[in-house]
Amino acid sequence: MPSNSAGIIAYRMRPDIEVLLVHPGGPFWRNKDLGAWSIPKGEYADGEDAETAARREFAEELGLALTVPLVALGQVRQRGGKIVTAFAAEIDIDTLSIRSNTFQIEWPPRSGKRQDFPEVDRADFFALDEAGKKINEGQRPLLDRLAQLVGGHG
């Protein structure tokens, strides 16, 4: 059964739409760029409210509690089968001040040593065209939905 994930596309107008994407932390993602970025999101359990989960994940990955109203953008299915329920919020944040939670893995592999890595190692705003190149392929339809919602393509 595919896992469920919920997330938020934060956007700002400068004068065209710019969207906030996050880059996953950890050694696997260190040298990956195109197709590696994502909306801030995370898994949630059956029965949990998707909007509540999306707000929690945004706070965990960026260190910011999001209190503005959210607009539903629907669901997309990523290549691995994960279903992402997304919301949009117009907000401008200082991407240099993010504080992500961390995770721990054995690194280097089979070394017996455990290291902490940030779940998100950086965040940035991108124009829609650039975001389309950087975002996980399965999340690209969300950019089109956002453009339709706010009336225009970057």
Side-chain angles (χ1 to χ4, degrees), residues 4-5 11 22 24 42 45 50-51 58 64 68 71 76-77 85 91 102 114 116 119 125 128 140-141 146 151:
N4 292 313
S5 197
Y11 70 94
V22 296
E51 182 175 328
F58 192 92
L64 302 165
V68 300
V71 177
V76 293
R77 183 182 296 266
T85 302
I91 185 172
T102 60
R114 298 195 64 78
D116 287 326
E119 192 171 338
F125 280 94
L128 284 176
R140 278 190 202 132
L146 177 66

Side-chain angles (χ1 to χ4, degrees), residues 18-72:
E18 292 184 349
V19 296
L20 178 73
L21 298 179
V22 296
H23 186 270
F28 176 76
W29 297 101
R30 184 170 290 137
N31 297 316
K32 293 178 174 46
D33 186 53
L34 299 181
W37 294 69
S38 173
I39 67 172
K41 65 170 183 49
E43 292 187 10
Y44 67 99
D46 287 341
E48 184 180 4
D49 178 66
E51 182 175 328
T52 301
R55 288 181 185 275
R56 178 191 66 238
E57 293 298 328
F58 192 92
E60 287 180 1
E61 294 188 3
L62 297 168
L64 302 165
L66 193 61
T67 58
V68 300
L70 302 181
V71 177

Side-chain angles (χ1 to χ4, degrees), residues 8-19:
I8 296 171
I9 300 181
Y11 70 94
R12 65 186 184 188
M13 304 302 288
R14 290 276 175 95
D16 293 324
I17 305 167
E18 292 184 349
V19 296

